Amino acid sequence: MTIQCPVLIVPGLREHVPEHWQTLLAAGLPKVSTVPPLEQDKLSCAARVEALDRALAAIDGPVILVAHSAGVMMVAHWALSSKSHRPIKGALLATPADVEIPFPVGYPTLDTLREHAWLPIPRDRLGFPSLLAASRNDPLCAYSRAQSLARDWGSELVDLGQVGHLNPAAGFGKWPQALELIARLDAM
């Protein structure tokens, strides 16, 4: 399966995990970049949106965004705040992190997320095609919330079944379905 359009990987708050499906996907695509990790202001939504904007500026032409977890929220905040008319061919928004509900122990608290401007979740329609891939048993986002986000953003909802948060802790390294979904966006 050949993907023609450049792909930009947008990791979540844990950034670059070697055995994560995004990292493994990036190693197998010819035209791929990843939003680099932040050196400071690691929890700042604005700093992450700015990093996404810088990464996009380094890519010519249309691009497909591949976001996971809080990376999905970065894309939503970027789409709301972006003044550019950057051509986005499409976005794969995999297992969004619902930053409006308390996370399990070990994740940022609601107060911390509020302090760093993650709240509220942007609910405006995205200005590009998107597939929101949601899990039925994600500890960071109830399926009903993912359905609501997909509806608000104008995203097509893709039911992944019970895949947890689609990360190594849920048993995912490789995620072959990502290539299929990216290819669908590439063909649009």
Side-chain angles (χ1 to χ4, degrees):
M1 183 176 318
T2 305
I3 310 295
Q4 299 298 318
C5 192
V7 170
L8 179 62
I9 304 288
V10 186
L13 292 178
R14 300 198 190 267
E15 299 180 315
H16 304 270
V17 176
E19 62 276 1
H20 195 281
W21 66 266
Q22 285 181 307
T23 307
L24 299 171
L25 177 71
L29 290 175
K31 295 187 276 187
V32 65
S33 305
T34 301
V35 176
L38 294 179
E39 298 301 319
Q40 53 191 6
D41 297 327
K42 288 184 174 273
L43 280 179
S44 167
C45 183
R48 288 189 178 263
V49 167
E50 188 177 305
L52 171 56
D53 202 47
R54 280 193 309 272
L56 281 167
I59 301 169
D60 290 330
V63 65
I64 294 173
L65 301 172
V66 177
H68 175 253
S69 191
V72 173
M73 296 304 145
M74 287 177 238
V75 169
H77 280 279
W78 176 84
L80 178 68
S81 68
S82 178
K83 303 295 187 256
S84 76
H85 297 286
R86 172 76 179 135
I88 303 297
K89 178 124 186 183
L92 172 56
L93 309 171
T95 56
D98 184 353
V99 296
E100 293 179 342
I101 61 159
F103 285 153
V105 174
Y107 289 90
T109 65
L110 275 176
D111 287 341
T112 299
L113 292 169
R114 187 174 294 105
E115 175 187 333
H116 289 88
W118 290 93
L119 304 173
I121 294 173
R123 294 297 191 129
D124 295 356
R125 188 173 188 84
L126 301 176
F128 41 84
S130 57
L131 303 172
L132 192 149
S135 171
R136 292 266 178 184
N137 65 338
D138 188 341
L140 300 184
C141 185
Y143 190 76
S144 59
R145 290 284 287 179
Q147 288 176 307
S148 176
L149 291 171
R151 187 173 42 257
D152 292 345
W153 292 338
S155 303
E156 178 185 330
L157 182 67
V158 178
D159 185 344
L160 298 178
Q162 296 194 6
V163 297
H165 194 54
L166 195 66
N167 59 5
F172 282 87
K174 288 187 178 181
W175 179 41
Q177 190 178 5
L179 273 178
E180 297 168 24
L181 296 172
I182 295 166
R184 279 185 55 197
L185 291 165
D186 194 42
M188 292 182 168

